[in-house]
Amino acid sequence: MSRITPSNGLFPMDYHMHTHHSCDAHHTMADMAQVALARGIREIAFTEHFDPKPEDMCAGCYDPAPYFAELDEVRHQFAPLGLTIRAGLEAGEYHLYTDTIQPVLDAWPYDYVLGSLHWVGDHSVFDAAYFQASAAEETAAGYFTELARLARHGGFDVLSHADVIKRTSYRVYGHFDIADWEDLVRPVWQACIDNGIGIEINTSGLRLAVSQTQPSLPALKWYHDMGGELLTLGSDSHRPEHVGFELATAMDLAREAGFTRLCTYERRQVAQWIAL
Ligand SMILES: [Zn+2]
Ligand SMILES: [Zn+2]
């Protein structure tokens, strides 16, 4: 049995946030780290967007050299204050752009790599027109089938915002219940478990109309009951005020789903198990 570290009453992690190194965020790492420190978070990861798909708004924006230069500075600034800062990345469509993403992962000392799916073929999962033109069954089947391909491909540490289509689905269809898609989600979880890929509870959905974590309780229970153990928390914040957003809610959900611990990452390996 791996040693489990008590959480000491603080929030163990916020492992999903973006700074000006992402195309859709504008704040410095220090701006975000300052809030994390003030809110009692022990570890954070800056998981900037790296989206090679040419149609993606972030395509061509990510540059690891200035990212790691700034990271080095804030690590020195905040380590003495008790905040650990991990080198993260949110890689888009890794299974389709391995030749672009893998050399970057090999060349730089990342701690934690999220695998994300923002596109189903040439349809963005945030494109309301695509959802309006298709039935809920089609958009869900298209998304989760592609997500299972990504998870089967592997090569990253944690699957990001696993049911992200809920954001647009809810806006367009007025409804999203993951229980409707259990048969589509379980193969994704199986692929994650087979490949040693963890999942995150992403709290950003609680800031949106759908008002659910990504994923929500039923899907967390399936992953746990199928034998999934690797779980992290992330706010997906793009600005300081969202750092640590609803982490207590996420921890409650994790416990309710049956988890007793979270894991931290260092240099692409599980570093510690933190008691929930
Ligand atoms: Zn994302
Ligand atoms: Zn993100």
Side-chain angles (χ1 to χ4, degrees), residues 14 16-18 24-25 32 39 41 47 49 90 126 161 164 166-167 170-171 200-214 233-247 249-250:
D14 184 341
H16 191 148
M17 61 182 74
H18 299 271
D24 57 354
M32 306 294 272
R39 294 186 176 166
I41 300 165
T47 51
H49 290 295
E90 180 177 358
F126 306 119
H161 49 53
V164 69
K166 72 182 11 162
R167 302 187 199 178
Y170 185 85
R171 274 200 294 139
E200 67 166 2
I201 303 181
N202 182 311
T203 60
S204 68
L206 294 171
R207 302 194 286 273
L208 304 170
V210 65
S211 196
Q212 299 173 15
T213 53
Q214 298 160 119
L233 311 176
S235 63
D236 210 344
S237 47
H238 287 66
R239 56 179 82 158
E241 59 265 38
H242 290 154
V243 171
F245 183 77
E246 295 282 359
L247 288 182
T249 302

mmCIF file of all heavy atoms in Angstrom, residues 14 16-18 24-25 32 39 41 47 49 90 126 161 164 166-167 170-171 200-214 233-247 249-250:
data_model
loop_
_atom_site.group_PDB
_atom_site.id
_atom_site.type_symbol
_atom_site.label_atom_id
_atom_site.label_comp_id
_atom_site.label_asym_id
_atom_site.label_seq_id
_atom_site.Cartn_x
_atom_site.Cartn_y
_atom_site.Cartn_z
ATOM 1 N N ASP A 14 -4.709 22.513 -7.082
ATOM 2 C CA ASP A 14 -5.506 22.988 -8.204
ATOM 3 C C ASP A 14 -4.620 22.769 -9.424
ATOM 4 O O ASP A 14 -3.700 23.542 -9.687
ATOM 5 C CB ASP A 14 -5.893 24.457 -8.050
ATOM 6 C CG ASP A 14 -6.816 24.922 -9.171
ATOM 7 O OD1 ASP A 14 -6.851 24.240 -10.223
ATOM 8 O OD2 ASP A 14 -7.480 25.958 -9.011
ATOM 9 N N HIS A 16 -5.268 22.660 -12.724
ATOM 10 C CA HIS A 16 -5.696 23.044 -14.069
ATOM 11 C C HIS A 16 -5.918 24.552 -14.063
ATOM 12 O O HIS A 16 -6.925 25.032 -13.548
ATOM 13 C CB HIS A 16 -6.982 22.292 -14.452
ATOM 14 C CG HIS A 16 -7.345 22.421 -15.904
ATOM 15 N ND1 HIS A 16 -7.984 21.406 -16.600
ATOM 16 C CD2 HIS A 16 -7.166 23.423 -16.796
ATOM 17 C CE1 HIS A 16 -8.177 21.788 -17.857
ATOM 18 N NE2 HIS A 16 -7.691 23.010 -17.997
ATOM 19 N N MET A 17 -4.956 25.295 -14.598
ATOM 20 C CA MET A 17 -5.145 26.745 -14.728
ATOM 21 C C MET A 17 -4.292 27.294 -15.867
ATOM 22 O O MET A 17 -3.324 26.665 -16.299
ATOM 23 C CB MET A 17 -4.868 27.463 -13.408
ATOM 24 C CG MET A 17 -3.487 27.327 -12.854
ATOM 25 S SD MET A 17 -3.358 28.198 -11.257
ATOM 26 C CE MET A 17 -4.263 27.102 -10.166
ATOM 27 N N HIS A 18 -4.715 28.441 -16.347
ATOM 28 C CA HIS A 18 -4.104 29.052 -17.537
ATOM 29 C C HIS A 18 -3.632 30.470 -17.233
ATOM 30 O O HIS A 18 -4.281 31.206 -16.491
ATOM 31 C CB HIS A 18 -5.125 29.092 -18.676
ATOM 32 C CG HIS A 18 -5.619 27.733 -19.087
ATOM 33 N ND1 HIS A 18 -5.001 26.966 -20.047
ATOM 34 C CD2 HIS A 18 -6.666 26.986 -18.637
ATOM 35 C CE1 HIS A 18 -5.651 25.818 -20.186
ATOM 36 N NE2 HIS A 18 -6.664 25.803 -19.334
ATOM 37 N N ASP A 24 -6.002 32.235 -24.519
ATOM 38 C CA ASP A 24 -7.274 32.768 -24.030
ATOM 39 C C ASP A 24 -7.203 33.235 -22.578
ATOM 40 O O ASP A 24 -8.212 33.301 -21.885
ATOM 41 C CB ASP A 24 -8.386 31.719 -24.197
ATOM 42 C CG ASP A 24 -8.061 30.415 -23.484
ATOM 43 O OD1 ASP A 24 -6.938 30.273 -22.958
ATOM 44 O OD2 ASP A 24 -8.944 29.533 -23.454
ATOM 45 N N ALA A 25 -5.985 33.530 -22.089
ATOM 46 C CA ALA A 25 -5.832 34.024 -20.717
ATOM 47 C C ALA A 25 -4.766 35.121 -20.723
ATOM 48 O O ALA A 25 -3.957 35.197 -21.650
ATOM 49 C CB ALA A 25 -5.434 32.885 -19.784
ATOM 50 N N MET A 32 -1.694 34.355 -10.409
ATOM 51 C CA MET A 32 -2.481 33.154 -10.091
ATOM 52 C C MET A 32 -1.953 32.501 -8.806
ATOM 53 O O MET A 32 -2.719 32.084 -7.928
ATOM 54 C CB MET A 32 -2.407 32.145 -11.249
ATOM 55 C CG MET A 32 -2.790 32.690 -12.615
ATOM 56 S SD MET A 32 -4.522 33.188 -12.785
ATOM 57 C CE MET A 32 -5.284 31.635 -13.280
ATOM 58 N N ARG A 39 -5.607 31.207 -0.726
ATOM 59 C CA ARG A 39 -6.752 30.306 -0.534
ATOM 60 C C ARG A 39 -6.345 28.951 0.047
ATOM 61 O O ARG A 39 -7.162 28.031 0.100
ATOM 62 C CB ARG A 39 -7.505 30.144 -1.866
ATOM 63 C CG ARG A 39 -8.149 31.470 -2.272
ATOM 64 C CD ARG A 39 -9.044 31.416 -3.487
ATOM 65 N NE ARG A 39 -9.648 32.741 -3.685
ATOM 66 C CZ ARG A 39 -10.277 33.132 -4.777
ATOM 67 N NH1 ARG A 39 -10.421 32.293 -5.801
ATOM 68 N NH2 ARG A 39 -10.786 34.348 -4.862
ATOM 69 N N ILE A 41 -4.098 26.606 -0.972
ATOM 70 C CA ILE A 41 -3.861 25.493 -1.897
ATOM 71 C C ILE A 41 -2.375 25.144 -1.835
ATOM 72 O O ILE A 41 -1.524 26.028 -1.869
ATOM 73 C CB ILE A 41 -4.278 25.893 -3.329
ATOM 74 C CG1 ILE A 41 -5.775 26.238 -3.335
ATOM 75 C CG2 ILE A 41 -3.964 24.775 -4.320
ATOM 76 C CD1 ILE A 41 -6.229 26.986 -4.568
ATOM 77 N N THR A 47 -1.342 24.674 -16.629
ATOM 78 C CA THR A 47 -1.597 23.743 -17.732
ATOM 79 C C THR A 47 -2.017 24.538 -18.969
ATOM 80 O O THR A 47 -3.203 24.627 -19.292
ATOM 81 C CB THR A 47 -2.715 22.758 -17.319
ATOM 82 O OG1 THR A 47 -3.822 23.532 -16.821
ATOM 83 C CG2 THR A 47 -2.253 21.791 -16.249
ATOM 84 N N HIS A 49 -2.607 25.873 -22.791
ATOM 85 C CA HIS A 49 -3.129 25.232 -24.003
ATOM 86 C C HIS A 49 -2.021 25.002 -25.019
ATOM 87 O O HIS A 49 -1.287 25.931 -25.369
ATOM 88 C CB HIS A 49 -4.170 26.145 -24.677
ATOM 89 C CG HIS A 49 -5.444 26.275 -23.925
ATOM 90 N ND1 HIS A 49 -6.296 25.215 -23.713
ATOM 91 C CD2 HIS A 49 -6.039 27.345 -23.351
ATOM 92 C CE1 HIS A 49 -7.358 25.632 -23.038
ATOM 93 N NE2 HIS A 49 -7.223 26.916 -22.795
ATOM 94 N N GLU A 90 -1.829 21.429 -21.195
ATOM 95 C CA GLU A 90 -3.106 20.870 -21.655
ATOM 96 C C GLU A 90 -2.962 20.635 -23.152
ATOM 97 O O GLU A 90 -3.053 21.575 -23.951
ATOM 98 C CB GLU A 90 -4.283 21.809 -21.359
ATOM 99 C CG GLU A 90 -5.613 21.214 -21.838
ATOM 100 C CD GLU A 90 -6.847 22.058 -21.512
ATOM 101 O OE1 GLU A 90 -6.704 23.122 -20.875
ATOM 102 O OE2 GLU A 90 -7.951 21.639 -21.931
ATOM 103 N N PHE A 126 -17.306 23.512 -28.612
ATOM 104 C CA PHE A 126 -17.906 24.755 -28.108
ATOM 105 C C PHE A 126 -18.763 25.451 -29.169
ATOM 106 O O PHE A 126 -19.256 26.553 -28.941
ATOM 107 C CB PHE A 126 -16.815 25.701 -27.606
ATOM 108 C CG PHE A 126 -15.901 25.067 -26.598
ATOM 109 C CD1 PHE A 126 -14.547 24.929 -26.838
ATOM 110 C CD2 PHE A 126 -16.412 24.581 -25.392
ATOM 111 C CE1 PHE A 126 -13.708 24.325 -25.905
ATOM 112 C CE2 PHE A 126 -15.583 23.971 -24.459
ATOM 113 C CZ PHE A 126 -14.234 23.844 -24.724
ATOM 114 N N HIS A 161 -11.298 17.461 -18.300
ATOM 115 C CA HIS A 161 -12.748 17.741 -18.455
ATOM 116 C C HIS A 161 -13.486 16.711 -19.331
ATOM 117 O O HIS A 161 -13.967 17.011 -20.420
ATOM 118 C CB HIS A 161 -12.999 19.158 -18.957
ATOM 119 C CG HIS A 161 -12.201 19.616 -20.168
ATOM 120 N ND1 HIS A 161 -12.155 18.919 -21.338
ATOM 121 C CD2 HIS A 161 -11.448 20.723 -20.352
ATOM 122 C CE1 HIS A 161 -11.408 19.586 -22.208
ATOM 123 N NE2 HIS A 161 -10.961 20.677 -21.616
ATOM 124 N N VAL A 164 -16.791 17.434 -21.355
ATOM 125 C CA VAL A 164 -16.848 18.875 -21.650
ATOM 126 C C VAL A 164 -18.005 19.248 -22.574
ATOM 127 O O VAL A 164 -18.462 20.393 -22.572
ATOM 128 C CB VAL A 164 -15.489 19.345 -22.226
ATOM 129 C CG1 VAL A 164 -15.259 18.776 -23.615
ATOM 130 C CG2 VAL A 164 -15.383 20.866 -22.247
ATOM 131 N N LYS A 166 -20.907 18.827 -22.148
ATOM 132 C CA LYS A 166 -22.079 19.244 -21.365
ATOM 133 C C LYS A 166 -22.268 20.762 -21.413
ATOM 134 O O LYS A 166 -23.386 21.248 -21.316
ATOM 135 C CB LYS A 166 -21.970 18.757 -19.920
ATOM 136 C CG LYS A 166 -20.956 19.476 -19.106
ATOM 137 C CD LYS A 166 -20.793 18.984 -17.650
ATOM 138 C CE LYS A 166 -21.458 17.714 -17.258
ATOM 139 N NZ LYS A 166 -20.918 17.131 -16.030
ATOM 140 N N ARG A 167 -21.157 21.507 -21.562
ATOM 141 C CA ARG A 167 -21.276 22.967 -21.580
ATOM 142 C C ARG A 167 -22.176 23.410 -22.743
ATOM 143 O O ARG A 167 -23.120 24.175 -22.552
ATOM 144 C CB ARG A 167 -19.898 23.621 -21.769
ATOM 145 C CG ARG A 167 -18.884 23.243 -20.711
ATOM 146 C CD ARG A 167 -17.637 24.087 -20.917
ATOM 147 N NE ARG A 167 -16.468 23.521 -20.253
ATOM 148 C CZ ARG A 167 -15.243 24.053 -20.311
ATOM 149 N NH1 ARG A 167 -15.038 25.155 -20.999
ATOM 150 N NH2 ARG A 167 -14.240 23.496 -19.689
ATOM 151 N N TYR A 170 -25.869 21.550 -22.837
ATOM 152 C CA TYR A 170 -26.873 22.136 -21.946
ATOM 153 C C TYR A 170 -27.444 23.424 -22.532
ATOM 154 O O TYR A 170 -28.654 23.661 -22.491
ATOM 155 C CB TYR A 170 -26.277 22.395 -20.557
ATOM 156 C CG TYR A 170 -27.298 22.886 -19.579
ATOM 157 C CD1 TYR A 170 -28.098 21.991 -18.871
ATOM 158 C CD2 TYR A 170 -27.506 24.253 -19.385
ATOM 159 C CE1 TYR A 170 -29.068 22.440 -17.998
ATOM 160 C CE2 TYR A 170 -28.471 24.711 -18.507
ATOM 161 C CZ TYR A 170 -29.252 23.804 -17.818
ATOM 162 O OH TYR A 170 -30.220 24.249 -16.957
ATOM 163 N N ARG A 171 -26.570 24.239 -23.100
ATOM 164 C CA ARG A 171 -27.029 25.513 -23.676
ATOM 165 C C ARG A 171 -27.989 25.278 -24.841
ATOM 166 O O ARG A 171 -28.983 25.978 -24.999
ATOM 167 C CB ARG A 171 -25.827 26.331 -24.188
ATOM 168 C CG ARG A 171 -25.176 27.193 -23.140
ATOM 169 C CD ARG A 171 -24.361 28.296 -23.784
ATOM 170 N NE ARG A 171 -23.226 27.758 -24.525
ATOM 171 C CZ ARG A 171 -22.836 28.203 -25.705
ATOM 172 N NH1 ARG A 171 -23.479 29.182 -26.310
ATOM 173 N NH2 ARG A 171 -21.782 27.676 -26.304
ATOM 174 N N GLU A 200 -9.609 14.042 -13.927
ATOM 175 C CA GLU A 200 -9.706 15.198 -13.046
ATOM 176 C C GLU A 200 -11.182 15.493 -12.765
ATOM 177 O O GLU A 200 -12.044 15.181 -13.585
ATOM 178 C CB GLU A 200 -9.050 16.435 -13.686
ATOM 179 C CG GLU A 200 -9.793 16.938 -14.922
ATOM 180 C CD GLU A 200 -9.385 18.346 -15.384
ATOM 181 O OE1 GLU A 200 -8.488 18.969 -14.801
ATOM 182 O OE2 GLU A 200 -10.008 18.810 -16.362
ATOM 183 N N ILE A 201 -11.417 16.089 -11.604
ATOM 184 C CA ILE A 201 -12.708 16.744 -11.389
ATOM 185 C C ILE A 201 -12.468 18.209 -11.712
ATOM 186 O O ILE A 201 -11.756 18.917 -10.986
ATOM 187 C CB ILE A 201 -13.224 16.592 -9.950
ATOM 188 C CG1 ILE A 201 -13.337 15.118 -9.561
ATOM 189 C CG2 ILE A 201 -14.588 17.278 -9.818
ATOM 190 C CD1 ILE A 201 -13.869 14.888 -8.145
ATOM 191 N N ASN A 202 -13.032 18.637 -12.828
ATOM 192 C CA ASN A 202 -12.851 20.000 -13.329
ATOM 193 C C ASN A 202 -14.076 20.797 -12.885
ATOM 194 O O ASN A 202 -15.210 20.473 -13.251
ATOM 195 C CB ASN A 202 -12.730 19.921 -14.850
ATOM 196 C CG ASN A 202 -12.490 21.253 -15.517
ATOM 197 O OD1 ASN A 202 -13.176 22.230 -15.246
ATOM 198 N ND2 ASN A 202 -11.526 21.284 -16.422
ATOM 199 N N THR A 203 -13.832 21.841 -12.079
ATOM 200 C CA THR A 203 -14.967 22.559 -11.476
ATOM 201 C C THR A 203 -15.503 23.691 -12.351
ATOM 202 O O THR A 203 -16.453 24.365 -11.963
ATOM 203 C CB THR A 203 -14.565 23.162 -10.110
ATOM 204 O OG1 THR A 203 -13.478 24.074 -10.303
ATOM 205 C CG2 THR A 203 -14.169 22.081 -9.121
ATOM 206 N N SER A 204 -14.927 23.896 -13.524
ATOM 207 C CA SER A 204 -15.341 25.059 -14.330
ATOM 208 C C SER A 204 -16.813 24.993 -14.732
ATOM 209 O O SER A 204 -17.458 26.026 -14.895
ATOM 210 C CB SER A 204 -14.452 25.205 -15.565
ATOM 211 O OG SER A 204 -14.654 24.140 -16.464
ATOM 212 N N GLY A 205 -17.343 23.766 -14.887
ATOM 213 C CA GLY A 205 -18.759 23.637 -15.257
ATOM 214 C C GLY A 205 -19.696 24.219 -14.212
ATOM 215 O O GLY A 205 -20.836 24.589 -14.520
ATOM 216 N N LEU A 206 -19.216 24.327 -12.965
ATOM 217 C CA LEU A 206 -20.049 24.911 -11.900
ATOM 218 C C LEU A 206 -20.185 26.422 -12.072
ATOM 219 O O LEU A 206 -21.041 27.047 -11.453
ATOM 220 C CB LEU A 206 -19.450 24.594 -10.523
ATOM 221 C CG LEU A 206 -19.453 23.115 -10.125
ATOM 222 C CD1 LEU A 206 -18.640 22.901 -8.847
ATOM 223 C CD2 LEU A 206 -20.878 22.609 -9.937
ATOM 224 N N ARG A 207 -19.334 27.011 -12.917
ATOM 225 C CA ARG A 207 -19.435 28.453 -13.191
ATOM 226 C C ARG A 207 -20.350 28.739 -14.373
ATOM 227 O O ARG A 207 -20.587 29.893 -14.703
ATOM 228 C CB ARG A 207 -18.042 29.032 -13.521
ATOM 229 C CG ARG A 207 -16.996 28.854 -12.454
ATOM 230 C CD ARG A 207 -15.772 29.739 -12.694
ATOM 231 N NE ARG A 207 -14.890 29.309 -13.767
ATOM 232 C CZ ARG A 207 -13.893 28.437 -13.642
ATOM 233 N NH1 ARG A 207 -13.666 27.874 -12.464
ATOM 234 N NH2 ARG A 207 -13.125 28.135 -14.653
ATOM 235 N N LEU A 208 -20.814 27.682 -15.036
ATOM 236 C CA LEU A 208 -21.575 27.836 -16.271
ATOM 237 C C LEU A 208 -23.026 27.428 -16.058
ATOM 238 O O LEU A 208 -23.394 26.908 -15.010
ATOM 239 C CB LEU A 208 -20.944 26.972 -17.371
ATOM 240 C CG LEU A 208 -19.459 27.254 -17.633
ATOM 241 C CD1 LEU A 208 -18.872 26.209 -18.556
ATOM 242 C CD2 LEU A 208 -19.274 28.652 -18.206
ATOM 243 N N ALA A 209 -23.841 27.644 -17.090
ATOM 244 C CA ALA A 209 -25.275 27.368 -16.971
ATOM 245 C C ALA A 209 -25.557 25.921 -16.567
ATOM 246 O O ALA A 209 -26.481 25.648 -15.803
ATOM 247 C CB ALA A 209 -25.961 27.687 -18.302
ATOM 248 N N VAL A 210 -24.746 24.981 -17.038
ATOM 249 C CA VAL A 210 -25.005 23.559 -16.765
ATOM 250 C C VAL A 210 -24.845 23.241 -15.278
ATOM 251 O O VAL A 210 -25.490 22.323 -14.756
ATOM 252 C CB VAL A 210 -24.088 22.663 -17.630
ATOM 253 C CG1 VAL A 210 -22.625 22.831 -17.256
ATOM 254 C CG2 VAL A 210 -24.497 21.203 -17.557
ATOM 255 N N SER A 211 -23.978 24.010 -14.600
ATOM 256 C CA SER A 211 -23.806 23.904 -13.151
ATOM 257 C C SER A 211 -23.501 22.482 -12.654
ATOM 258 O O SER A 211 -24.109 22.001 -11.705
ATOM 259 C CB SER A 211 -25.068 24.456 -12.458
ATOM 260 O OG SER A 211 -24.785 24.705 -11.092
ATOM 261 N N GLN A 212 -22.571 21.835 -13.325
ATOM 262 C CA GLN A 212 -22.102 20.501 -12.913
ATOM 263 C C GLN A 212 -20.576 20.468 -13.052
ATOM 264 O O GLN A 212 -20.026 21.115 -13.930
ATOM 265 C CB GLN A 212 -22.651 19.399 -13.840
ATOM 266 C CG GLN A 212 -24.146 19.258 -13.889
ATOM 267 C CD GLN A 212 -24.578 18.248 -14.958
ATOM 268 O OE1 GLN A 212 -23.781 17.467 -15.467
ATOM 269 N NE2 GLN A 212 -25.855 18.274 -15.304
ATOM 270 N N THR A 213 -19.927 19.654 -12.212
ATOM 271 C CA THR A 213 -18.510 19.405 -12.438
ATOM 272 C C THR A 213 -18.353 18.545 -13.693
ATOM 273 O O THR A 213 -19.293 17.899 -14.144
ATOM 274 C CB THR A 213 -17.870 18.662 -11.245
ATOM 275 O OG1 THR A 213 -18.650 17.493 -10.971
ATOM 276 C CG2 THR A 213 -17.808 19.553 -10.016
ATOM 277 N N GLN A 214 -17.126 18.539 -14.202
ATOM 278 C CA GLN A 214 -16.797 17.712 -15.369
ATOM 279 C C GLN A 214 -15.751 16.689 -14.948
ATOM 280 O O GLN A 214 -14.602 17.081 -14.742
ATOM 281 C CB GLN A 214 -16.246 18.592 -16.500
ATOM 282 C CG GLN A 214 -17.259 19.622 -16.979
ATOM 283 C CD GLN A 214 -16.589 20.758 -17.720
ATOM 284 O OE1 GLN A 214 -16.851 21.001 -18.886
ATOM 285 N NE2 GLN A 214 -15.694 21.462 -17.049
ATOM 286 N N LEU A 233 -7.752 17.357 -9.005
ATOM 287 C CA LEU A 233 -8.752 18.421 -9.004
ATOM 288 C C LEU A 233 -8.221 19.618 -9.787
ATOM 289 O O LEU A 233 -7.030 19.930 -9.700
ATOM 290 C CB LEU A 233 -9.030 18.911 -7.572
ATOM 291 C CG LEU A 233 -9.319 17.872 -6.498
ATOM 292 C CD1 LEU A 233 -9.466 18.572 -5.149
ATOM 293 C CD2 LEU A 233 -10.580 17.084 -6.839
ATOM 294 N N GLY A 234 -9.118 20.273 -10.525
ATOM 295 C CA GLY A 234 -8.686 21.465 -11.253
ATOM 296 C C GLY A 234 -9.819 22.444 -11.468
ATOM 297 O O GLY A 234 -10.954 22.052 -11.734
ATOM 298 N N SER A 235 -9.504 23.729 -11.335
ATOM 299 C CA SER A 235 -10.527 24.770 -11.505
ATOM 300 C C SER A 235 -10.661 25.218 -12.962
ATOM 301 O O SER A 235 -11.625 25.870 -13.317
ATOM 302 C CB SER A 235 -10.170 25.991 -10.662
ATOM 303 O OG SER A 235 -8.941 26.550 -11.130
ATOM 304 N N ASP A 236 -9.670 24.876 -13.802
ATOM 305 C CA ASP A 236 -9.634 25.372 -15.192
ATOM 306 C C ASP A 236 -9.765 26.897 -15.205
ATOM 307 O O ASP A 236 -10.428 27.463 -16.070
ATOM 308 C CB ASP A 236 -10.744 24.720 -16.026
ATOM 309 C CG ASP A 236 -10.372 24.587 -17.497
ATOM 310 O OD1 ASP A 236 -9.419 25.248 -17.928
ATOM 311 O OD2 ASP A 236 -11.060 23.827 -18.202
ATOM 312 N N SER A 237 -9.125 27.547 -14.235
ATOM 313 C CA SER A 237 -9.255 29.008 -14.142
ATOM 314 C C SER A 237 -8.408 29.671 -15.217
ATOM 315 O O SER A 237 -7.286 29.237 -15.512
ATOM 316 C CB SER A 237 -8.865 29.510 -12.756
ATOM 317 O OG SER A 237 -7.654 28.940 -12.339
ATOM 318 N N HIS A 238 -8.963 30.716 -15.789
ATOM 319 C CA HIS A 238 -8.265 31.545 -16.765
ATOM 320 C C HIS A 238 -8.018 32.943 -16.184
ATOM 321 O O HIS A 238 -7.552 33.831 -16.884
ATOM 322 C CB HIS A 238 -9.076 31.655 -18.065
ATOM 323 C CG HIS A 238 -9.066 30.380 -18.885
ATOM 324 N ND1 HIS A 238 -9.657 29.210 -18.451
ATOM 325 C CD2 HIS A 238 -8.542 30.100 -20.109
ATOM 326 C CE1 HIS A 238 -9.500 28.271 -19.380
ATOM 327 N NE2 HIS A 238 -8.829 28.783 -20.390
ATOM 328 N N ARG A 239 -8.392 33.140 -14.923
ATOM 329 C CA ARG A 239 -8.159 34.424 -14.243
ATOM 330 C C ARG A 239 -8.065 34.165 -12.738
ATOM 331 O O ARG A 239 -8.581 33.158 -12.237
ATOM 332 C CB ARG A 239 -9.279 35.405 -14.562
ATOM 333 C CG ARG A 239 -10.650 34.881 -14.217
ATOM 334 C CD ARG A 239 -11.734 35.883 -14.524
ATOM 335 N NE ARG A 239 -12.107 35.855 -15.917
ATOM 336 C CZ ARG A 239 -13.276 36.305 -16.379
ATOM 337 N NH1 ARG A 239 -14.158 36.828 -15.540
ATOM 338 N NH2 ARG A 239 -13.569 36.235 -17.649
ATOM 339 N N PRO A 240 -7.384 35.067 -12.013
ATOM 340 C CA PRO A 240 -7.073 34.789 -10.605
ATOM 341 C C PRO A 240 -8.294 34.492 -9.733
ATOM 342 O O PRO A 240 -8.225 33.637 -8.847
ATOM 343 C CB PRO A 240 -6.361 36.067 -10.148
ATOM 344 C CG PRO A 240 -5.781 36.645 -11.390
ATOM 345 C CD PRO A 240 -6.740 36.312 -12.485
ATOM 346 N N GLU A 241 -9.393 35.193 -9.960
ATOM 347 C CA GLU A 241 -10.530 34.999 -9.042
ATOM 348 C C GLU A 241 -11.110 33.588 -9.097
ATOM 349 O O GLU A 241 -11.841 33.182 -8.206
ATOM 350 C CB GLU A 241 -11.626 36.051 -9.262
ATOM 351 C CG GLU A 241 -12.214 36.089 -10.653
ATOM 352 C CD GLU A 241 -11.544 37.131 -11.549
ATOM 353 O OE1 GLU A 241 -10.311 37.299 -11.455
ATOM 354 O OE2 GLU A 241 -12.253 37.762 -12.347
ATOM 355 N N HIS A 242 -10.786 32.819 -10.138
ATOM 356 C CA HIS A 242 -11.308 31.454 -10.232
ATOM 357 C C HIS A 242 -10.342 30.392 -9.691
ATOM 358 O O HIS A 242 -10.689 29.209 -9.655
ATOM 359 C CB HIS A 242 -11.667 31.133 -11.685
ATOM 360 C CG HIS A 242 -12.860 31.878 -12.182
ATOM 361 N ND1 HIS A 242 -13.065 32.157 -13.508
ATOM 362 C CD2 HIS A 242 -13.916 32.418 -11.519
ATOM 363 C CE1 HIS A 242 -14.192 32.833 -13.652
ATOM 364 N NE2 HIS A 242 -14.727 33.012 -12.455
ATOM 365 N N VAL A 243 -9.157 30.792 -9.290
ATOM 366 C CA VAL A 243 -8.200 29.820 -8.741
ATOM 367 C C VAL A 243 -8.815 29.172 -7.498
ATOM 368 O O VAL A 243 -9.337 29.865 -6.626
ATOM 369 C CB VAL A 243 -6.861 30.502 -8.390
ATOM 370 C CG1 VAL A 243 -5.948 29.558 -7.619
ATOM 371 C CG2 VAL A 243 -6.168 30.981 -9.664
ATOM 372 N N GLY A 244 -8.786 27.873 -7.453
ATOM 373 C CA GLY A 244 -9.343 27.146 -6.306
ATOM 374 C C GLY A 244 -10.856 27.067 -6.283
ATOM 375 O O GLY A 244 -11.442 26.609 -5.295
ATOM 376 N N PHE A 245 -11.486 27.429 -7.402
ATOM 377 C CA PHE A 245 -12.949 27.513 -7.450
ATOM 378 C C PHE A 245 -13.616 26.177 -7.079
ATOM 379 O O PHE A 245 -13.353 25.157 -7.715
ATOM 380 C CB PHE A 245 -13.379 27.926 -8.868
ATOM 381 C CG PHE A 245 -14.854 28.122 -9.048
ATOM 382 C CD1 PHE A 245 -15.477 29.267 -8.587
ATOM 383 C CD2 PHE A 245 -15.615 27.148 -9.666
ATOM 384 C CE1 PHE A 245 -16.839 29.446 -8.749
ATOM 385 C CE2 PHE A 245 -16.985 27.316 -9.830
ATOM 386 C CZ PHE A 245 -17.592 28.473 -9.375
ATOM 387 N N GLU A 246 -14.441 26.200 -6.023
ATOM 388 C CA GLU A 246 -15.272 25.054 -5.626
ATOM 389 C C GLU A 246 -14.474 23.770 -5.386
ATOM 390 O O GLU A 246 -14.979 22.665 -5.624
ATOM 391 C CB GLU A 246 -16.369 24.793 -6.667
ATOM 392 C CG GLU A 246 -17.392 25.919 -6.800
ATOM 393 C CD GLU A 246 -18.450 25.946 -5.690
ATOM 394 O OE1 GLU A 246 -18.412 25.057 -4.803
ATOM 395 O OE2 GLU A 246 -19.291 26.850 -5.700
ATOM 396 N N LEU A 247 -13.248 23.896 -4.900
ATOM 397 C CA LEU A 247 -12.470 22.681 -4.630
ATOM 398 C C LEU A 247 -13.094 21.850 -3.511
ATOM 399 O O LEU A 247 -13.027 20.621 -3.531
ATOM 400 C CB LEU A 247 -11.021 23.033 -4.274
ATOM 401 C CG LEU A 247 -10.142 23.538 -5.417
ATOM 402 C CD1 LEU A 247 -8.727 23.797 -4.910
ATOM 403 C CD2 LEU A 247 -10.116 22.564 -6.590
ATOM 404 N N THR A 249 -16.240 21.478 -2.930
ATOM 405 C CA THR A 249 -17.329 20.720 -3.568
ATOM 406 C C THR A 249 -16.764 19.506 -4.307
ATOM 407 O O THR A 249 -17.310 18.397 -4.224
ATOM 408 C CB THR A 249 -18.080 21.627 -4.567
ATOM 409 O OG1 THR A 249 -18.570 22.760 -3.856
ATOM 410 C CG2 THR A 249 -19.226 20.902 -5.237
ATOM 411 N N ALA A 250 -15.683 19.720 -5.024
ATOM 412 C CA ALA A 250 -15.065 18.618 -5.774
ATOM 413 C C ALA A 250 -14.590 17.512 -4.834
ATOM 414 O O ALA A 250 -14.748 16.320 -5.123
ATOM 415 C CB ALA A 250 -13.897 19.147 -6.610
#
